[in-house]
Amino acid sequence: MADDPGIDQETFDKLVAEGQPERVARAKAKAAAARKARAADASAGNGGGSTGDGGGETPEQVQERVFNELVEEGQPERVARAKAKAAAARAKRAAESESKPEPAKQPAGAGAGAGAAPAAATTGNGANGAGNGAGVALTPEQRQQRVAAALAARTEGGPHERTGGPETKYAGQEHTHRLLAMVPPTGIQQIRGKQDDKAYTWPHLLTAEFVCLMAVTAFLFVFSALAPAPLRELANPNVTPNPSKAPWYFLGLQEMLRYWHPMIAGVTIPLIFGPLGLIAIPYLDRNPSMRPERRKFAYMLFTMFLVASASLTISGSFFRGPGFNWTWPWTDGIWFTL
Amino acid sequence: MGLTDKGLHPTIFDDYRIETVDAGWLQERVKPKRHIGLTAELCILCRACEDVCPWECIWMLAPNIVADAESDEVMTLANTASAVFVIDDNECTRCAICVERCPSDALWLGRTSA
Ligand code: SF4
Ligand code: SF4
């Protein structure tokens, strides 16, 4: 649409009164208003005398006139130019369609003939639509007759015979209807027995897992090729390494031994946070929700555990030097080995 | 319920001839790049789309409205179909009200690939 037709208030009120949702009513009212505007435009374009001088104008003249009118009305120039251009195009189309032979034999343009040249083609039935009240109220019987007549004509004349005769082959091309779909009988009988939220292991999970497997393998290959892992010198029982550190995953435990009695650091705490803690979890946290924002207690517990063990491990790894005494890595160097 | 049941019909062809066209044709012919499409398998023939369209440009028609198709296959399909949907792409504003209305998600608004 070149110009905004506004809303046909009458139609809007009517549709709302009929109980249509407001959004639909508004759209339909807009359609009705546009249809009215176009009908008016078209009659002007066809030489109808709304402006008095419409008859002999060339499209260029129309463009200029409409532009001047709109500018005088105080429309912005840009809008005026666009609207004038649209009007000129309409006038041109109207002129072209007038020179076409026998427009009355067109079977029909669907709906309200758009823009130009609706006069001959859709007279009698006029603009259809519940919108503007001038609806094509074909009764179902009339409709049946119409279709029956068309079908009868078709059977008589063979499959290629058309009701309007051969010259109408491309008539109504103003409104070519696109075939959206042909609904097969199975389409309306389908039964959806399967759950929609079910996903199968193959391929949904297994493909992802396979990709992960490949990625991890590739990473390991690359990493092992780039990072050297040499063996150290032969072990000598007379010279033990200082500091003597556990593997990194036990460094947290070793760190705790610096603070507490071995009974507490090595047995009690690991026992509480290890087997007993794991057994206790389902009894401590009975919340079945899967959403993080509702599992504050569980997340808090796990975060505390994670932070504590991580800080113990980090300090054991990087802040303990000879004799497992505290060192600063930036002054005394790193005493961490894998 | 529907406009159709009230006997309100647009003036339409009574003898559709089916011609096969490609996406290029569609793009050339009608300006918007997105078009309404219908997944026939999902349609339950409720005619709701026809009813809500403000421009009355989407229509469910009896299959015998199709007079002649270029391919036999299409003609067979037309003869066995439960309904034929046509849309007037020149009129359709792609407001997608029909898409929203369709209870079975059969209608969609999408691009045609050239
Ligand atoms: S998108 Fe809007 S105008 Fe187009 S067929 Fe659907 S309801 Fe009608
Ligand atoms: S609204 Fe959807 S299901 Fe109903 S007739 Fe239209 S396309 Fe088919």
Side-chain angles (χ1 to χ4, degrees):
Chain A
M1 295 295 307
D3 38 19
D4 182 8
I7 274 189
D8 190 308
Q9 193 60 39
E10 212 180 293
T11 312
F12 181 75
D13 293 343
K14 195 175 116 232
L15 288 173
V16 169
E18 275 176 19
Q20 298 261 21
E22 227 181 77
R23 184 159 123 62
V24 175
R26 198 172 305 117
K28 289 205 177 192
K30 207 167 166 188
R35 249 180 246 127
K36 274 187 186 168
R38 276 200 304 213
D41 274 352
S43 58
N46 280 348
S50 69
T51 53
D53 57 358
E57 276 184 328
T58 65
E60 289 75 28
Q61 284 166 329
V62 171
Q63 181 164 357
E64 201 179 329
R65 176 174 55 78
V66 174
F67 180 76
N68 289 337
E69 277 172 13
L70 287 173
V71 170
E72 261 168 44
E73 275 173 25
Q75 298 260 22
E77 230 181 75
R78 198 170 64 74
V79 176
R81 200 173 307 121
K83 290 197 179 189
K85 210 164 158 192
R90 271 196 295 271
K92 199 165 157 211
R93 272 216 304 243
E96 274 168 13
S97 72
E98 255 170 36
S99 58
K100 263 191 212 157
E102 302 184 359
K105 284 194 89 175
Q106 292 184 356
T122 54
T123 40
N125 283 333
N128 80 92
N132 50 19
V136 188
L138 279 182
T139 64
E141 293 75 36
Q142 282 171 319
R143 167 85 197 156
Q144 286 295 318
Q145 278 172 6
R146 219 167 107 78
V147 176
L151 290 174
R154 195 178 81 189
T155 2
E156 278 162 24
H160 291 271
E161 187 71 18
R162 296 169 58 75
T163 47
E167 76 277 10
T168 62
K169 184 174 170 194
Y170 292 109
Q173 287 276 309
E174 186 84 21
H175 290 273
T176 305
H177 284 99
R178 183 160 63 89
L179 181 71
L180 262 188
M182 292 196 270
V183 183
T186 46
I188 52 173
Q189 293 161 1
Q190 60 155 352
I191 297 156
R192 272 201 252 172
K194 281 185 203 152
Q195 270 178 319
D196 276 351
D197 58 352
K198 192 152 125 188
Y200 290 98
T201 317
W202 170 258
H204 303 287
L205 176 66
L206 285 187
T207 14
E209 282 189 349
F210 184 72
V211 171
C212 284
L213 177 76
M214 286 295 137
V216 170
T217 312
F219 171 76
L220 285 180
F221 266 111
V222 172
F223 187 74
S224 52
L226 293 182
L231 288 177
R232 291 158 76 180
E233 68 277 11
L234 272 183
N236 179 357
N238 295 321
V239 187
T240 53
N242 186 18
S244 175
K245 288 196 188 179
W248 70 266
Y249 42 86
F250 282 140
L251 274 178
L253 272 182
Q254 203 180 353
E255 176 76 9
M256 281 197 294
L257 283 172
R258 290 288 299 176
Y259 305 110
W260 293 301
H261 186 272
M263 184 57 199
I264 294 178
V267 180
T268 316
I269 293 180
L271 195 71
I272 288 175
F273 285 107
L276 290 182
L278 288 178
I279 292 169
I281 285 177
Y283 299 97
L284 287 176
D285 182 54
R286 302 176 60 93
N287 188 342
S289 174
M290 309 270 275
R291 299 173 58 178
E293 66 267 32
R294 297 200 187 142
R295 301 296 303 268
K296 293 210 173 68
F297 181 62
Y299 274 72
M300 202 175 65
L301 266 190
F302 188 70
T303 309
M304 273 160 53
F305 172 76
L306 208 67
V307 168
S309 54
S311 40
L312 283 176
T313 307
I314 287 171
S315 88
S317 305
F318 298 107
F319 294 91
R320 294 290 174 183
F324 217 70
N325 290 316
W326 190 267
T327 56
W328 296 108
W330 46 88
T331 52
D332 309 310
I334 293 178
W335 298 86
F336 174 65
T337 48
L338 268 176
Chain B
M1 164 210 163
L3 288 171
T4 332
D5 295 333
K6 290 187 209 142
L8 285 168
H9 280 278
T11 34
I12 47 171
F13 289 101
D14 282 331
D15 50 349
Y16 281 95
R17 219 174 101 264
I18 294 188
E19 263 182 82
T20 318
V21 295
D22 55 9
W25 179 91
L26 206 57
Q27 267 174 359
E28 197 177 291
R29 183 142 201 118
V30 281
K31 282 230 194 65
K33 297 234 169 51
R34 284 141 93 67
H35 299 283
I36 298 293
L38 204 167
T39 310
E41 287 72 32
L42 294 177
C43 179
I44 53 170
L45 304 181
C46 66
R47 307 196 103 161
C49 46
E50 200 177 47
D51 207 23
V52 293
C53 177
W55 297 95
E56 279 126 37
C57 56
I58 181 167
W59 290 96
M60 178 176 126
L61 304 168
N64 62 5
I65 208 94
V66 176
D68 190 9
E70 275 170 0
S71 105
D72 290 343
E73 218 173 294
V74 176
M75 204 58 222
T76 314
L77 184 56
N79 284 334
T80 55
S82 297
V84 167
F85 279 84
V86 295
I87 185 167
D88 186 341
D89 265 329
N90 307 69
E91 284 284 298
C92 172
T93 58
R94 278 72 169 164
C95 64
I97 291 184
C98 53
V99 175
E100 236 170 85
R101 180 65 189 86
C102 179
S104 60
D105 283 343
L107 283 167
W108 39 266
L109 181 65
R111 274 170 202 284
T112 53
S113 48

